[in-house]
Amino acid sequence: MNDLTIVGLEWIGALALFLGFILFVRYLDHREHMSMIEHGLVPDETTRTPPRAALLRGGLITTMVGFAVTVGLYTLGYLLPPPFSAVPGRLGPWLLPGLIPLAVGLALVASYYLAPPRQRQTGDQRDADRARRETPRRGLRMLDRTDHPRPVGDANHGDDAAI
C-alpha cells in the first residue's frame, strides 16, 4: 500500500470512531429515558431545548477553539515551500480548519446579542409563569398507579397471577 492509501484509511477510521461515539452517546441517552419511564418518571421534552445562556457559552467556546486552531495553523505558512508561502501575510487554505469554527462561533455569539431581549414580566405574568411551572406536566413527574395500571402477571411485583 502506498502512503496515500494509508492516510485515507486513517481518516476513514477516525470518522468511524467519531460517528460511533455519537451513536453510543445517543444510545445511552435513550437507555436513560427508558429507565426513567420504567421507574415512573416522565421526562418533559420541552426541557431539552438549550437555554439562551448555553447559546452564548457554546458560541464563545467555538470561537476560541477556532481562533486557537487558526493561530496554530498560521505557522504552517512559514514552513511550506515558496509557491505556497508567496501569498501576502502567509495566508492560505491551511487556515480553513480554524477559520470555519471561528466563523460559526462568531455567528452564535452574534445571534445571542441580536435576538430580541426577553420582556420584563409584571407581577401577574410572573405568577402565571410560576403556576405554569408548578404544574405536573413540566419537568419530571411521578405517574400514579391509576394512570398506568400494572399488567396482570407482572413478574416485578409478584402478587398478580397470570391469566
Side-chain angles (χ1 to χ4, degrees), residues 12-32:
I12 289 173
L15 181 64
L17 268 172
F18 178 70
L19 293 176
F21 178 74
I22 290 174
L23 286 174
F24 179 68
V25 169
R26 299 268 316 214
Y27 172 74
L28 289 178
D29 188 44
H30 172 74
R31 294 287 300 164
E32 178 185 13

Side-chain angles (χ1 to χ4, degrees), residues 56-76:
L56 178 62
R57 187 179 315 120
L60 289 173
I61 290 171
T62 307
T63 301
M64 289 298 113
V65 167
F67 179 73
V69 172
T70 302
V71 168
L73 291 176
Y74 181 73
T75 59
L76 281 179

